[in-house]
């Protein structure tokens, strides 16, 4: 699950690039060049998002019913923005388009902003907690057999009222823009667009680092959520996530390597005007860093989905997992991950050749 989440964050470079359609593309031709560059990859992001949700449903059904069911307004807005993305790619230049291409391009920008910010805010609740209550005794209530419920009427939108969730959501947004800029530099053969992407890369990288480090220091020095493996009783522990990294030095090492690779990809791209390969070390670094953060949120007797309303309702990988049969099945399915990664690499290579204005004029294009 952590690997799928890490891959999803990396693949959101599509959203990051789309959020810059109008700031990078000053003409209709430039905007179309940008859209066709990301248009080759958007299915990978959407498919990973759906797979992430499906795997969570199979492996941790109580989390799925609590978060996706209780916080459904937050998730519905996220999914609706991705639906806007799919529709926008397919219909912006179709005959009979009464709204005009610019309207659908605006929809892509909306998805480019809402997708990363809201997904980042949702992931931040793994550390900051959410307002839900779980009452497993309700399963025998024939009138209303609902185990989990939201403690207020916001149905998940209250997550946006926590400033730390917003900080992390904005960090994911600017990370997506960093990766999007690196992808444009790598994939688009246009001197003007490459120059603009390089300029914006610096500002987006600085904002990402400030926001991410602020959130990271906050969770390391603040309180975390643990549970007793013998009794299952949850408790608030000061410095829990810092202790997790100290106990699981291998996870801390993965995090460090990921951060170094990300900074290397950004730094070398900024310094060198001819190097276009920054997306690769930065992308691998993103996957490693996010993987480590998600493992830190769930391993070492940690509640990965804390409840701010009722501490003992907090979810961990023991009390929220599926049956042994389902987990065994998912364990076998997880062995397919290398093949899935190989397919992603193959698909990327098959449709990932650099794009230029001639291809837009003479080939198939959005």
């Amino acid at each position: 699950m952590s690997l799928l989440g890490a891959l999803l964050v990396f693949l959101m470079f599509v959203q990051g690039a789309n959020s810059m359609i109008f700031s990078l593309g000053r003409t209709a031709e430039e905007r179309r060049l940008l859209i066709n560059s990301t248009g080759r990859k958007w299915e990978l992001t959407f498919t990973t998002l759906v797979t992430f949700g499906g795997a969570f449903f199979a492996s941790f059904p109580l989390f799925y019913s609590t978060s996706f069911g209780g916080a459904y307004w937050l998730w519905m807005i996220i999914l609706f923005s991705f639906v806007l993305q799919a529709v926008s790619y397919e219909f912006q230049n179709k005959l009979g388009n009464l709204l005009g291409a610019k309207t659908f391009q605006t929809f892509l920008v909306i998805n480019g902003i809402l997708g990363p910010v809201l997904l980042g805010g949702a992931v931040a609740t793994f550390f900051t907690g959410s307002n839900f209550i779980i009452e497993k005794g309700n399963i025998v209530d024939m009138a209303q057999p609902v185990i989990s419920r939201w403690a207020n009427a916001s149905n998940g939108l209250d997550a946006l009222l926590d400033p730390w969730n917003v900080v992390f959501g904005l960090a994911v947004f600017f990370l997506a823009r960093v990766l999007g800029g690196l992808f444009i530099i790598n994939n688009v053969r246009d001197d003007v667009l490459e120059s603009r992407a390089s300029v914006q890369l610096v500002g987006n990288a600085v904002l990402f680092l400030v926001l991410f480090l602020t959130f990271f220091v906050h969770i390391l020095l603040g309180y975390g959520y643990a549970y007793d493996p013998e009794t299952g009783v949850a408790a608030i522990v000061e410095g829990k996530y810092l202790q997790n990294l100290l106990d699981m030095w291998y996870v801390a090492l993965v995090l460090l390597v990921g951060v170094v690779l990300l900074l290397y990809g950004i730094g070398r791209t900024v310094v060198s005007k001819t190097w276009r390969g920054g997306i690769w070390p930065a992308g691998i670094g993103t996957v490693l860093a996010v993987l480590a953060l998600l493992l830190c949120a769930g391993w070492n007797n940690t509640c990965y989905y804390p409840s701010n309303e009722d501490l003992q309702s907090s979810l961990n990988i023991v009390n929220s997992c599926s049956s042994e049969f389902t987990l065994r099945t998912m364990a076998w399915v997880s062995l397919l991950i290398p093949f899935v990664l190989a397919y992603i690499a193959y698909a990327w290579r098959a449709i990932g050749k650099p794009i230029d204005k001639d291809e837009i004029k003479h080939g198939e294009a959005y």
Side-chain angles (χ1 to χ4, degrees):
M1 291 308 309
S2 296
L3 180 58
L4 281 172
L7 287 171
L8 176 60
V9 173
F10 160 61
L11 292 171
M12 290 188 71
F13 70 81
V14 173
Q15 277 63 43
N18 285 344
S19 71
M20 300 185 287
I21 288 175
F22 293 109
S23 60
L24 292 179
R26 309 290 172 79
T27 66
E29 186 180 39
E30 290 175 345
R31 289 193 291 270
R32 199 171 184 193
L33 190 60
L34 292 170
I35 290 169
N36 278 271
S37 178
T38 59
R40 297 170 170 179
K41 301 293 191 298
W42 74 269
E43 292 97 336
L44 295 176
T45 309
F46 194 83
T47 302
T48 305
L49 175 63
V50 174
T51 305
F52 180 73
F56 239 135
F57 172 72
S59 302
F60 300 98
L62 189 53
F63 167 81
Y64 191 90
S65 64
T66 302
S67 180
F68 289 77
Y72 62 84
W73 275 122
L74 179 62
W75 288 107
M76 284 300 294
I77 294 174
I78 293 172
L79 292 175
F80 182 71
S81 74
F82 276 90
V83 171
L84 276 181
Q85 177 199 52
V87 171
S88 299
Y89 274 120
E90 297 299 330
F91 291 100
Q92 61 181 284
N93 288 307
K94 288 289 191 293
L95 293 176
N97 173 14
L98 300 178
L99 299 177
K102 199 166 185 178
T103 299
F104 286 107
Q105 291 168 3
T106 302
F107 289 160
L108 289 177
V109 175
I110 292 174
N111 169 251
I113 297 173
L114 287 183
V117 171
L118 295 183
L119 274 173
V123 171
T125 60
F126 289 177
F127 298 93
T128 62
S130 295
N131 296 306
F132 62 88
I133 299 174
I134 293 179
E135 298 171 346
K136 293 186 177 181
N138 287 349
I139 195 67
V140 298
D141 186 349
M142 300 301 294
Q144 195 174 12
V146 179
I147 295 177
S148 54
R149 61 182 175 85
W150 219 247
N152 53 52
S154 70
N155 296 113
L157 294 179
D158 52 338
L160 302 179
L161 298 179
D162 187 327
W164 292 111
N165 293 344
V166 176
V167 167
F168 191 73
L170 290 174
V172 173
F173 168 65
F174 285 109
L175 174 60
R177 286 171 68 94
V178 167
L179 296 174
L182 292 173
F183 176 74
I184 293 301
I185 293 171
N186 176 262
N187 191 247
V188 175
R189 293 296 178 263
D190 185 273
D191 293 338
V192 175
L193 290 178
E194 287 184 39
S195 176
R196 292 174 186 161
S198 297
V199 171
Q200 294 206 19
L201 177 62
V202 177
N204 289 324
V206 170
L207 289 171
F208 159 68
L209 290 173
V210 170
L211 291 166
F212 174 74
L213 290 175
T214 300
F215 181 83
F216 187 60
V217 171
H218 167 69
I219 63 171
L220 287 184
L221 302 182
Y223 292 93
Y225 302 84
Y227 70 95
D228 188 322
E230 299 295 331
T231 64
V233 175
I236 298 177
V237 179
E238 186 175 3
K240 171 60 177 171
Y241 300 111
L242 175 60
Q243 190 61 48
N244 282 357
L245 291 178
L246 294 176
D247 292 341
M248 302 183 294
W249 60 267
Y250 42 89
V251 174
L253 181 61
V254 170
L255 177 62
L256 178 62
V257 172
V259 171
V260 170
L261 285 174
L262 175 59
L263 294 178
Y264 171 76
I266 297 171
R268 185 174 174 185
T269 302
V270 172
V271 172
S272 175
K273 302 301 181 183
T274 58
W275 192 60
R276 295 191 174 99
I279 184 64
W280 300 116
I284 295 172
T286 297
V287 172
L288 293 178
V290 176
L291 173 65
L293 284 177
L294 293 178
L295 292 178
C296 184
W299 280 0
N300 201 36
N301 302 325
T302 307
C303 296
Y304 71 86
Y305 199 44
S307 172
N308 294 328
E309 187 70 24
D310 174 25
L311 184 61
Q312 301 312 314
S313 292
S314 301
L315 301 183
N316 56 65
I317 60 177
V318 176
N319 68 8
S320 64
C321 68
S322 191
S323 66
E324 182 179 354
F325 173 79
T326 302
L327 291 178
R328 287 184 178 273
T329 302
M330 292 301 294
W332 284 106
V333 171
S334 68
L335 298 179
L336 297 175
I337 286 179
F339 298 96
V340 175
L341 294 176
Y343 168 74
I344 292 176
Y346 170 78
W348 185 292
R349 186 176 181 84
I351 60 178
K353 63 179 182 179
I355 189 172
D356 55 27
K357 292 180 179 178
D358 288 337
E359 184 175 344
I360 299 298
K361 294 176 181 178
H362 305 296
E364 291 186 9
Y366 288 108

